[in-house]
Amino acid sequence: MFAAGWVCVGVGIVGIILPGLPGTVFLILAAWLFSRSSPRFESWLLSHPRLGPSVVAWRQNGAVPRWAQFVATGSMAASFGGMALIGVALPVLGLVGVIFVAVSAYLLTRPTA
């Protein structure tokens, strides 16, 4: 779990830099993994000035920053549009569409940080 936590921290940092990659999700997962393998690194992550605030907000009240809600929803819409343009099979497109709508609805109904 400890090594997986560091992998998630790395992916989370990349996600903060690259648009379309959900960095916060990986940081939340890293904190969870560290809580089971290294309380020291869990504390480090939660108190980190750049990485910690979104994880703490999630833990306290399930909050997601408004900008993250819109970026995630917009990325899913763009991905769906791209899949439709390249001709992905209709059943696959339908399944992905249902998943994207469900995830977007969940995200947009979370409190904002």
Side-chain angles (χ1 to χ4, degrees), residues 15-106:
I16 290 171
I17 298 166
L18 294 178
L21 183 63
T24 301
V25 172
F26 287 100
L27 294 174
I28 291 168
L29 181 57
W32 181 81
L33 290 165
F34 285 149
S35 74
R36 280 141 181 77
S37 62
S38 175
R40 176 178 159 216
F41 284 107
E42 176 191 22
S43 177
W44 169 82
L45 181 58
L46 295 176
S47 63
H48 191 280
R50 178 74 173 114
L51 306 176
S54 59
V55 178
V56 171
W58 175 258
R59 281 189 169 181
Q60 288 178 344
N61 59 5
V64 178
R66 179 67 66 195
W67 67 267
Q69 292 173 338
F70 291 141
V71 167
T73 301
S75 296
M76 286 184 276
S79 296
F80 185 83
M83 290 171 54
L85 285 175
I86 64 170
V88 171
L90 196 54
V92 173
L93 203 57
L95 177 63
V96 169
V98 167
I99 292 169
F100 281 0
V101 166
V103 171
S104 293
Y106 178 77

